[in-house]
Amino acid sequence: MAFFSFLCSKTFLFLLLVISAVPVAFIVSLEHATPTTHVYHYHSNGFFRECAKWDDLNRRFIVSFMEGGLGQIPLPELDSPAGVLEEMIVVKEADLAGNASLGIAIDRPKNRLLVAIADVIGNRYSAVAAYDLTTWNRLFLTQLSGPGVENDKSFADDVAVDAAGNGYITDTKSGRIWKVGVDGKLLSIIRSPLFTPKEWYKNLVGLNGIVYHPDGFLLVIHTFTGNLYKIEIEKGEEVKLVKVINGSLKFGDGIELLSPTRLVVAGNPSGRLIESLDGWETGSVVGKFAGPMHRLATAATVKDGRVYLNHMIGMGYPKKKHAIVEAVFPS
């Protein structure tokens, strides 16, 4: 009873207020710190933006909404905005309400954007959609998992597009990669024992970021193990584990090729740069970047040869200010 009385006392409430104020004050100090690299700030109506990709042809960033939908952040011609940019909603569909829009990939030859869609909370639905980059009309919507398909737990997290226009979508929940054709038809499912570590807790967040390499294979990261996989899609979908030295890729999220021999991994820490000189049989961590830790880096993109990291969490109210931060790696 004495302990309960203490919990209800003014002294306890004061201590609780002081303790909770410490992380808040820390976050405020981080938010007001002068950035060490270039940053694009933009206002949004949502707190969470999972992915951002640079669309060079249309001079804009395209961003995905955790609450579902897509937005664009146009850049002025001089590319030196004095203030905060504004997000414009381009896709918001009622039939996908309740699902998150997550990883996105630009298919430039076909002037379209592919989007991974998932039920983040219940893992009861996964899909991939394609949208025209000019009109934003939906070109197809393919359900990958859920009622009427494979009614198992799933989480479509990221997507990549190969040279022929086929899409590859990672399932971070069930350790598989769906392949869809140009028209969205499900063609195959890539599975491998390498995708599923023995320790159950390492499967809580599994396959995540994925990219297509111009030499005809996929690179995929597993978040909780840090494993990097090379998938030979032109050789029977053979899966290999890339041996990575000089650092770990644990807690890696979105990935992006900076060049055929260099790969950027967003996550925690904010950014890591991996180099391979043998066609991605092996790789070496050659650089790290520490960005705004309170915002959580989730995706990487390349603009004019420079790496930018999307940070998921927006700050402020009613408008939320988001940050797309340049990652500079030591040479």
Side-chain angles (χ1 to χ4, degrees):
M1 181 65 71
F3 180 68
F4 180 77
S5 298
F6 171 70
L7 293 180
C8 297
S9 68
K10 291 182 179 179
T11 302
F12 175 76
L13 293 176
F14 175 74
L15 289 173
L16 184 63
L17 181 62
V18 171
I19 292 170
S20 63
V22 172
V24 173
F26 180 62
I27 291 173
V28 170
S29 68
L30 290 174
E31 187 65 14
H32 286 89
T34 302
T36 58
T37 62
H38 181 249
V39 180
Y40 289 106
H41 284 114
Y42 67 94
H43 279 141
S44 166
N45 290 323
F47 278 111
F48 303 109
R49 295 295 176 258
E50 167 68 11
C51 189
K53 294 295 180 183
W54 173 244
D55 177 6
D56 58 339
L57 191 62
N58 297 294
R59 290 196 51 77
R60 62 188 175 185
F61 287 102
I62 301 173
V63 295
S64 61
F65 302 170
M66 284 288 285
E67 69 271 24
L70 298 168
Q72 65 178 6
I73 301 110
L75 261 60
E77 287 298 325
L78 297 179
D79 202 10
S80 57
V84 180
L85 299 168
E86 294 293 329
E87 173 189 275
M88 300 168 54
I89 296 174
V90 292
V91 171
K92 198 74 173 175
E93 300 196 283
D95 61 340
L96 292 172
N99 296 295
S101 299
L102 300 166
I104 59 178
I106 294 174
D107 183 1
R108 178 63 64 206
K110 293 181 171 48
N111 191 46
R112 61 182 187 166
L113 184 81
L114 268 65
V115 187
I117 299 165
D119 168 18
V120 171
I121 304 300
N123 304 144
R124 296 182 297 266
Y125 179 84
S126 286
V128 61
Y131 296 92
D132 185 282
L133 280 169
T134 303
T135 64
W136 292 109
N137 291 332
R138 190 166 76 189
L139 305 175
F140 67 74
L141 172 67
T142 302
Q143 183 179 343
L144 302 169
S145 180
V149 189
E150 287 192 55
N151 198 14
D152 55 352
K153 294 285 187 178
S154 67
F155 192 125
D157 190 82
D158 201 6
V159 60
V161 184
D162 68 18
N166 301 306
Y168 301 84
I169 305 94
T170 54
D171 181 354
T172 195
K173 184 69 178 178
S174 297
R176 59 191 165 187
I177 299 170
W178 293 285
K179 177 182 179 180
V180 299
V182 178
D183 59 355
K185 181 181 179 181
L186 181 63
L187 299 179
S188 65
I189 300 176
I190 303 172
R191 292 184 170 94
S192 170
L194 294 175
F195 293 160
T196 310
K198 295 179 181 179
E199 302 89 341
W200 65 269
Y201 57 89
K202 291 184 178 179
N203 291 299
L204 293 176
V205 184
L207 299 180
N208 202 324
I210 183 170
V211 293
Y212 172 74
H213 192 282
D215 288 343
F217 55 85
L218 301 172
L219 292 171
V220 186
I221 196 164
H222 188 288
T223 294
F224 269 23
T225 63
N227 288 339
L228 184 66
Y229 305 105
K230 177 182 179 181
I231 304 175
E232 300 276 10
I233 55 177
E234 297 177 358
K235 299 178 181 178
E237 298 177 346
E238 177 188 6
V239 179
K240 300 178 182 178
L241 183 63
V242 179
K243 182 180 179 181
V244 177
I245 61 172
N246 295 331
S248 169
L249 302 183
K250 284 184 178 178
F251 305 114
D253 196 337
I255 61 178
E256 185 74 273
L257 284 170
L258 179 57
S259 73
T261 60
R262 292 196 156 196
L263 179 76
V264 179
V265 178
N268 183 24
S270 298
R272 281 160 284 188
L273 182 64
I274 301 91
E275 184 176 57
S276 176
L277 301 178
D278 59 3
W280 293 98
E281 297 298 314
T282 64
S284 176
V285 178
V286 295
K288 295 180 180 180
F289 171 76
M293 64 181 75
H294 62 299
R295 284 183 174 269
L296 188 60
T298 54
T301 190
V302 177
K303 177 185 180 296
D304 302 327
R306 299 158 71 179
V307 176
Y308 283 87
L309 302 178
N310 173 76
H311 287 72
M312 178 187 285
I313 302 171
M315 299 289 171
Y317 188 83
K319 284 192 173 182
K320 295 78 178 175
K321 188 170 76 170
H322 288 265
I324 301 174
V325 180
E326 183 185 5
V328 177
F329 301 97
S331 56

